[in-house]
Each structure stands twice: as structure tokens, then as C-alpha cells.
Amino acid sequence: MIPTLSRRQIWFMPVALLLLSTMGLLFALLGDAWWDVMSWGTLGYAVFVILWYVLKSP
Amino acid sequence: MATRNVQHMTPRAIKGWYLVHKWTSLVCTIFLLLLCVTGLPLIFYHEIDHLIGNAIEPPELPGVTARADLDAIVETAKARRPNEVVQLLVNDEDDPVWWVRFGETAAAEEVSTLSMFDARTGAFLHDYPVNQGVMPILWRLHVDMFAGLPGSLFLGAMGLVFLAAIISGVVLYAPFMRKLPFGSIRWERSPRTRWLDLHNLLGIVTVMWALVVGVTGSINTLANPIFQQWQATELAEMIAANQGLSSDPVQGSVAQAIQAAQSVDPDWELFFLAFPGNPFAGSHHYTAFMRGETPLTSKLLKPVLIDAQTGQVADSRDLPWYVTALLLSQPLHFGDYGGLPLKIIWAFLDIITIIVLGSGLYLWKKKSAASIEDRVSSAMEQEDVFGLSASSRESIL
């Protein structure tokens, strides 16, 4: 039987992604050039994570 | 201790949140699907306009830095459209181009003609094909479903219901994931289980984007009431305080008016000039709406009221907080503030949201269609996922 996960285990990735997305949404608003690039990286990471887990099929 | 925290949610609480998630989702899903599907091409409105030739680039003129006489441009524009009235003169953000917006009257809500002029030579370049093709239809569907302000406000309310659906979905994430590591998709299980896992993964990863685009979208539905409030209070006060300067509604030099507005704060450049008679100006005044030069202040506006006859600055005030909130909500909803890569990410997140909405609908339909045996066996398989009694477990699954 699979052990029950702790709250930390359940929420680590969702909270990390939430913070990264927030930064990504703000970066491009606060600056240009490198700020835009950082925005693409942080907000795009959410898309990457989804593709990673969905394409990692058995 | 961590385990105790997870179990902290009672079966009763889980069931309550589940009902909130189910009903808020059922109310808003069909409208959110409409918004996401019509919104997808709207992300690329600018690019599509250039692709199909609705918008054109000004010619390359290497070394030419001179600026054409603005009053001559306005005269040319007026001569081309003698039966229409100039409402706005807009300074293009990207290209050396002036746009002249006409209406049937100065105050008409609908634009009748949008003409593009070369800012260096003053030459007429192009009339933008207003209200042609499929994009304006998608835009209207997205903004108000062709139902005017009530339609817009209704979609704004759906955005708030969507907010409740997202929050209740986040609350339900933990009880569903108590035995599944992040990103688990049980491909070997039934389609319903597979789609449940996908719904949970896609939903939790995009939650911040969906919240921001949802809330800013709801704020954008208030755009017209917000501007009307500003016109009826702040702008009306600015005009009333300066009525004495001009009694004759003669329109003086546009170039002089813009120069005067520019002198108020050299760090702010003209975005657009509203002509006398337009709701954004006075009957005897131009209003120059200035935008800042930093990435953040370029999204904001500062209005400068100018006496139309003398070309002198009459008043300048910062916009109130509620207009600023609207102006900041716009880029955060459109995704047009970080180049094409940001728009592409926006499109991906929009498509993912469509999948979350569609899978949510599927999970709900599948549940009601599933036989009682399926639901019991599925509940048994998930063994104590909720720490619930068999009966309450079944009612949730």
C-alpha cells in the first residue's frame, strides 16, 4: 500500500509553481529585455512541467 | 504532524467543498469555454492583422528623422472624410505612425474610419478595415456576447464564479493527492481515473495564471462604467474649473496642444489626443493622454487638459486608483506585455485551461452515467483516499 504523503510532499510543487508563475506574470510588467526572458522562463516552466508529466507515459 | 494536517479536513468539509466546486463549475464552465476558445485567436490579434494585411508596416526610410506637421496630417485626414468627425489622434507605440480615428459624430461610440499616416512624411498610408472579417465577431463574443453592457457584466460575474471554482478546486487537491506523488497519471486505470489525474495536474499547475487572467478579465468587463465614472467626476471637474478660458469652440493647432501637453512632464509622451466633443475631452478642450516611458508606466495614462483655442495647458491630474487598476488589468489579461514568446505561453495556458474545463465536464458526466457498481469498485480501489466511511466516499466519487 502506498504511504500517505505529508502535507509538504503534496504541496511542494504546487506552491513552487504558484510562486514561479506569479514572478513570471510580474517580471514582464516591470521590465523589458532580460525581464521578459525571465518571465518566459518562469511562466513557461508551468507549461514545461505539464508536458513533462503527460509525455512521460508508461 | 504533517499527516494530521492533511486529515484535518473532515469528510463533511470535503463534501462541502466538492459541492462548491461542482456547482460553481457547472454554472461557469460553458461560458469559460466560450471565453477560452474565442480568446485563443484574440491573443494574436495584432499578428493576425499583419498576416492578413489588415495592418501594414510604414515604408522603410533610412536616415529620415524629421516629423511631419501634425496639423497638416489632421487636415488631410478631414479632407478625406468630410462627413465624419475626428475623435482621436493616436501615436503608434511601435512604428512612426499616427492613427486618426473618426466617428459619425465626435461622441459616437462606434469608430467609422481608422486612418494610418506616416509620421515622417505626413503621407496617408492605409485605412484599417473596421469591423470586417471574423476577428471582430470573436472579439464581441468574448467581450459581451453581442449583448452590450449587460452581457459584459454577466461575463464578469462568470469570472467571479470561476474564481470560486478555482479556489474550491485547490482546496480539494490535497485530499485527492494524499497517496499520489505530484504529477501522477494512472494511465493503466480507467479513462475516468486518467482524466481525474490530468484534471488535477493541469488545474493545479496553471492555477495562478487562471486566477490572474480570470480576475483581470472580470475587472475589464467594468471598463466602460469605470471610464464613465472618471468622465462624470474628475474630467467634469477639470473642465468646469477651466471653462472661462475659452468661449468660442474654435479648434486651434493640434501640434501646439501636444507640445504644451508634452511640457508638463518630459518623461511622459503622448499616447492619444481626444478631440473636443469626445467624451474623453471637453466641448472646448482637448485631452492629451500621456504614457510613461518605463515598461510599467507605459501601461498607465496621465491626462492633460488643453484649451482647444489657445493651446495652453488647463489642468493635469493623475488618474484615480480605479482607472489605474483597469489599465494594469489589461496587459495581465491580454498577455501582450512580454513579446511574442509570452503570447505563445499565454496560448498554451489557455489551451490547458480548455482541457481542465472539458475534463471537469467529462468527470461530472461520467460520474452521473457510471453504474453504481463502477462507483463502488472505484471507491474501493481508492481505499481510504479521503479517510471516509464507505457511504460518504461513494457519494463523493
Side-chain angles (χ1 to χ4, degrees), chain B residues 124-166:
Chain B
F124 166 77
L125 294 177
H126 176 67
D127 273 334
Y128 180 88
V130 176
N131 279 330
Q132 283 174 34
V134 74
M135 292 301 281
I137 297 173
L138 294 177
W139 187 80
R140 279 300 299 274
L141 279 172
H142 190 87
V143 169
D144 64 6
M145 303 183 295
F146 290 93
L149 184 62
S152 228
L153 295 178
F154 177 81
L155 289 177
M158 287 303 117
L160 297 181
V161 177
F162 180 52
L163 189 68
I166 292 174

Side-chain angles (χ1 to χ4, degrees), chain B residues 51-373:
Chain B
L51 201 69
I52 62 177
N54 276 359
I56 61 167
E57 307 284 342
E60 298 266 357
L61 296 175
V64 178
T65 52
R67 301 292 272 186
D69 177 18
L70 259 177
D71 288 293
I73 290 179
V74 172
E75 283 318 308
T76 313
K78 282 178 176 168
R80 289 187 74 251
R81 301 279 163 182
N83 299 321
E84 298 168 41
V85 183
V86 176
Q87 296 181 323
L88 309 174
L89 180 65
V90 185
N91 183 13
D92 196 284
E93 194 167 12
D94 305 318
D95 295 319
V97 158
W98 288 102
W99 292 93
V100 181
R101 180 190 146 126
F102 293 89
E104 299 294 336
T105 65
E109 224 175 280
E110 298 288 319
V111 51
S112 57
T113 303
L114 201 52
S115 300
M116 178 184 179
F117 288 85
D118 194 315
R120 300 153 302 179
T121 62
F124 166 77
L125 294 177
H126 176 67
D127 273 334
Y128 180 88
V130 176
N131 279 330
Q132 283 174 34
V134 74
M135 292 301 281
I137 297 173
L138 294 177
W139 187 80
R140 279 300 299 274
L141 279 172
H142 190 87
V143 169
D144 64 6
M145 303 183 295
F146 290 93
L149 184 62
S152 228
L153 295 178
F154 177 81
L155 289 177
M158 287 303 117
L160 297 181
V161 177
F162 180 52
L163 189 68
I166 292 174
I167 291 168
S168 54
V170 171
V171 173
L172 287 171
Y173 179 78
F176 271 95
M177 298 303 287
R178 273 186 54 206
K179 292 182 184 227
L180 295 170
F182 178 83
S184 300
I185 302 165
R186 289 166 290 177
W187 295 102
E188 70 286 0
R189 301 282 281 272
S190 70
R192 190 181 186 279
T193 306
R194 212 180 301 152
W195 278 111
L196 175 67
D197 290 345
L198 281 166
H199 182 81
N200 289 343
L201 172 65
L202 271 56
I204 202 72
V205 170
T206 56
V207 72
M208 195 62 210
W209 180 83
L211 276 175
V212 168
V213 174
V215 169
T216 54
S218 289
I219 294 173
N220 280 328
T221 64
L222 300 171
N224 280 338
I226 282 174
F227 280 123
Q228 281 160 8
Q229 171 68 17
W230 175 74
Q231 288 158 356
T233 55
E234 300 253 338
L235 180 63
E237 279 172 34
M238 287 164 76
I239 292 167
N242 293 284
Q243 216 47 293
L245 287 177
S246 151
S247 52
D248 188 11
V250 172
Q251 287 178 22
S253 163
V254 169
Q256 200 186 333
I258 292 173
Q259 208 179 2
Q262 201 76 67
S263 69
V264 172
D265 190 339
D267 289 337
W268 291 64
E269 64 152 15
L270 181 82
F271 178 21
F272 67 92
L273 183 77
F275 278 60
N278 188 265
F280 283 96
S283 52
H284 303 144
H285 293 92
Y286 293 108
T287 310
F289 285 85
M290 316 300 283
R291 67 180 158 213
E293 278 168 350
T294 71
L296 187 61
T297 58
S298 71
K299 309 295 175 204
L300 304 178
L301 290 174
K302 198 180 269 187
V304 181
L305 193 72
I306 299 151
D307 188 291
Q309 199 175 5
T310 64
Q312 300 296 308
V313 172
D315 199 356
S316 174
R317 295 185 192 179
D318 285 337
L319 287 173
W321 66 269
Y322 55 85
V323 183
T324 300
L326 171 69
L327 294 175
L328 286 177
S329 289
Q330 287 174 340
L332 284 168
H333 187 73
F334 305 150
D336 62 351
Y337 60 105
L340 189 58
L342 189 67
K343 290 189 179 187
I344 293 170
I345 292 168
W346 227 255
F348 270 108
L349 292 166
D350 183 84
I351 293 168
I352 292 166
T353 305
I354 293 176
I355 299 172
V356 174
L357 292 165
S359 58
L361 217 49
Y362 165 85
L363 292 169
W364 164 73
K365 264 208 77 167
K366 211 63 185 170
K367 184 201 157 191
S368 33
S371 72
I372 192 78
E373 289 94 300

